[in-house]
Amino acid sequence: MNHDGLRFGNLDYMQIAWSEVTPGEVHASWSGHLTACGESVIKAKPVYDSRVRDITCAECGATAVFDLGTAREKAKAITEKYEATGSLSRADAVSLRETALQTIAPQAFKARRAGDSWNAISSNYLMSTGAATETDGTSILVGRVGLAVIEGLEVSEYQGGY
């Protein structure tokens, strides 16, 4: 998943692409060589003929329509508090944030494409992870990090149609 800030916001330079690894799936590429999800490109449309709405790969779609850096920063603000108290190591904090982002962003892309509200996405996340009903510290942490990721995706969402 996108780890740099060069892709989001540069939809003018995005190309729709295909990969042999995923026949029938439509990806996004900014290089023409690799998709946003890391697959090799066998064919890409020209930039002028590429639209976000054509992307079917949820990971590529999430990279295209959300600023993943913003979501990372929101999640980092939550985990830093746990790191400061020593209840979470730096490695575990980074792993938790990245796992949350890699899991939530593609699902949010699919849900938003289907017309779901951000409130529905948040509620679904909390219910599916058990963070809404569990009271132990781990569930609360997972819930807070996930909600922070969702908040970051919401505030950074591409406002064009997809």
Side-chain angles (χ1 to χ4, degrees):
M1 186 163 269
N2 175 18
H3 288 277
D4 58 41
L6 298 175
R7 292 183 179 140
F8 175 80
N10 290 322
L11 293 176
D12 294 337
Y13 304 108
M14 182 199 70
Q15 296 174 273
I16 297 301
W18 292 266
S19 174
E20 283 183 343
V21 178
T22 56
E25 192 89 50
V26 181
H27 298 272
S29 176
W30 281 262
S31 68
H33 301 292
L34 286 177
T35 66
C37 63
E39 302 297 341
S40 295
V41 171
I42 58 168
K43 180 181 174 189
K45 274 189 175 182
V47 171
Y48 67 83
D49 196 25
S50 296
R51 305 286 178 265
V52 173
R53 68 179 172 267
D54 297 330
I55 301 169
T56 60
C57 171
E59 190 173 333
C60 287
T63 299
V65 302
F66 303 123
D67 179 357
L68 303 180
T70 299
R72 281 186 181 93
E73 287 302 314
K74 296 276 187 185
K76 184 177 180 183
I78 301 297
T79 60
E80 280 181 333
K81 295 172 188 173
Y82 289 86
E83 288 178 74
T85 63
S87 57
L88 192 62
S89 72
R90 171 140 173 75
D92 288 341
V94 170
S95 176
L96 176 61
R97 293 191 306 256
E98 284 303 310
T99 300
L101 184 65
Q102 290 173 2
T103 304
I104 294 169
Q107 296 303 316
F109 173 76
K110 288 185 211 175
R112 291 296 289 161
R113 176 171 267 174
D116 290 355
S117 69
W118 284 105
N119 187 39
I121 292 167
S122 297
S123 297
N124 185 41
Y125 167 75
L126 290 172
M127 295 307 291
S128 68
T129 61
T133 56
E134 300 295 326
T135 57
D136 63 283
T138 302
S139 295
I140 292 168
L141 173 60
V142 168
R144 291 184 70 207
V145 169
L147 288 176
V149 166
I150 292 169
E151 179 186 348
L153 298 175
E154 180 180 6
V155 299
S156 70
E157 182 179 24
Y158 167 68
Q159 296 304 305
Y162 67 94

